[in-house]
Amino acid sequence: MILVTGGAGFIGANFVLDWVAQTGEAVVNLDKLTYAGNLENLSSLQAEARHIFAQGDIGDHALVASLLTQHQPRAVVNFAAESHVDRSIHSPEAFIQTNVMGTFQLLEAVRAYWGGLASDTKANFRFLHVSTDEVYGSLAATDPAFTETHQYEPNSPYSASKAASDHLVRAYHHTYGLPVLTTNCSNNYGPYHFPEKLIPLMVVNALAGKPLPIYGDGQQIRDWLYVKDHCSAIRRVLEAGRLGETYNVGGWNEMPNLDIVHTVCGLLDTLRPRADGQSYATQITYVTDRPGHDRRYAIDASKIERELGWKPAETFASGIAKTIAWYLDNPEWVARVQSGAYRDWVDTNYAARAA
Ligand code: NAD
Ligand code: DAU
C-alpha cells in the first residue's frame, strides 16, 4: 500500500479516488482536515476497505511514525500543504508551520522508517513530494517556459514555503540517500476544487449573481492542467521517475485570467443561462490586485514526456467543459463547502478590494 498526505483536499482526493479505481492498491490517507480538507470528496469510498483514513498533522512525528510502522507503505505521496496564495498573504504562519515544519517532520519520520526497512523494500521505497511551478517566480511575456533547472525565485509566502519544502526534500536525498521524487505542477482545475481559487470561485459567484472579481488587469498568465492529468503524471513519476529528479508537469495551455473567466461565463451561458438572458460576463468586476502578483507562469513539460512518456489527456476545452458540468451536477457539495468559515474568508479577502 501507499500513504498519501492531504488526500481529502482538491488534488489529493482526486488522486485517492483515481488510485483506488485504477491500481487496486490500498491507500492510507493522512489529512488534518483543515478548512480545505473535506471527507465528502471521498464519500464514494465509504465502503471501500482499500481506503484507510487517519485524521492528523504531517507535523505530528509520533503519529506519522506509528502509521508507517502499522501499514508498512511502499511509498509516501505528500500533497498536504496550505495552498492558497491570498491566504498566505493575509496569514503566512500556517504556511511555514505546515509546508516547512510539517514537511520536515514528515521527512524525519519517513527517514527513520525507510532506514529500518529490509534491503529490497528499502531500495524500492519512494517519497514523492507534490510541488508547484510558483517556486520558480514570475516570467516576462517573452521568456521561455520554466524547465527543471530554472532558478528558484519564489515571490509569495506560499511559494517561499513550498520552495523551502522542495529544498528539504532535495537535501534528504543528497545527504541521507532518501529515495525522493518531486513534481512541480501548474494550476490545476476540475472536480472538488475549493471555491477560493479562480475557476470555482467564478462558477459559484456567477450562479449566485455575485461580482466576478478580476485582480488588476486580468492579463496575468497561468498554465492550466485538468486535475486528473496531474494525478496520472504523479502515478507515472512514482512508477518510473529517476531518484532525486524533479519533473515539471503542465498542460501546454497558457491563458490570461480574463480569458479563463470569459470561457467559464460562456459555458454557463449555454448550460445554465441567466433568467434575464444576459451573459454572466456582465458580472465581471475589476478589483485591487493581489500584492506581489506574479505576472506569468509557463511550464515546459518536455522532460516528463521525453523520459516517462506522460502527456495530458485533456485539452483545456474538454477539461473545462467537464469541470463546469461537475459543478452544475453537484449543487449540494457547492452549498456545503460555502460554510460560515468560507464566508468569513470571502469577507476578509474581497471586502477591502475596491471595485
Ligand atoms: P488543498 O488546499 O485543496 O488541500 C490541502 C489538503 O492538505 C487538505 O485536505 C488539508 O486538510 C490538508 N492539510 C493541510 N495541512 C495539513 C497538515 N499539517 N497535515 C495534514 N494534512 C494537512 O490543496 P490542493 O490544491 O489539493 O494542493 C495539493 C498539493 O498540490 C499542495 O502541496 C500544493 O502546493 C500542490 N499544488 C497545487 C496546485 C493547484 O493548482 N491546486 C498546483 C501545483 C501544486
Ligand atoms: O501555479 C500553481 C499554483 O496555482 C498552486 O501552487 C496553488 O496552490 C494554486 O492555488 C494556484 O495558485 P494561483 O495563485 O495561480 O491560483 P488562484 O486560483 O488563487 O489564482 C489564479 C489567478 O487568478 C491568479 O493570477 C490570481 C487570479 N485571481 C484569483 C482569484 C481567487 C483573480 O483574478 N481573482 C480572484 O478572485
Side-chain angles (χ1 to χ4, degrees), residues 5-14 29-39 41 53-60 78-84 94 97-99 102-103 129-134 158 162 165 183-189 192-194 196-197 223-225 227 230 234 249:
T5 72
F10 163 48
I11 306 172
N14 277 286
N29 180 358
L30 170 64
D31 196 296
K32 188 176 174 181
L33 296 182
T34 66
Y35 78 92
N38 183 357
L39 283 179
N41 299 351
F53 183 76
Q55 184 171 2
D57 195 320
I58 57 166
D60 182 341
N78 182 31
F79 292 95
E82 290 293 336
S83 71
H84 190 31
Q97 206 52 49
T98 284
N99 301 0
T103 304
H129 179 61
V130 180
S131 192
T132 168
D133 60 359
E134 299 204 9
Y158 163 68
K162 289 296 289 186
S165 67
T183 52
N184 293 89
C185 188
S186 57
N187 285 59
N188 287 212
Y189 65 97
Y192 307 111
H193 205 182
F194 192 71
E196 63 185 354
K197 308 282 170 66
D223 171 73
W224 294 90
L225 180 70
V227 63
H230 188 188
I234 292 168
V249 183

Side-chain angles (χ1 to χ4, degrees), residues 7 78 86 123 191 196 214 228:
N78 182 31
D86 291 320
E196 63 185 354
I214 306 287
K228 302 280 181 194

Side-chain angles (χ1 to χ4, degrees), residues 231-302:
C231 295
S232 74
I234 292 168
R235 288 196 303 276
R236 184 67 190 134
V237 173
L238 191 58
E239 178 178 56
R242 286 188 291 129
L243 292 189
E245 291 290 316
T246 65
Y247 292 90
N248 281 356
V249 183
W252 300 104
N253 179 60
E254 286 183 58
M255 283 176 76
N257 293 339
L258 199 55
D259 291 10
I260 295 283
V261 176
H262 276 291
T263 304
V264 169
C265 291
L267 281 163
L268 289 173
D269 288 341
T270 307
L271 297 168
R272 185 68 56 84
R274 265 175 45 160
D276 63 4
Q278 296 226 54
S279 171
Y280 288 100
T282 59
Q283 291 165 231
I284 287 175
T285 311
Y286 291 88
V287 300
T288 306
D289 208 351
R290 174 185 279 176
H293 200 170
D294 285 338
R295 194 70 182 163
R296 174 176 168 238
Y297 306 137
I299 277 277
D300 180 339
S302 46

Side-chain angles (χ1 to χ4, degrees), residues 147-148 248 252 299-307:
T147 64
E148 288 79 1
N248 281 356
W252 300 104
I299 277 277
D300 180 339
S302 46
K303 177 178 172 182
I304 188 172
E305 181 175 341
R306 190 177 60 249
E307 289 191 10

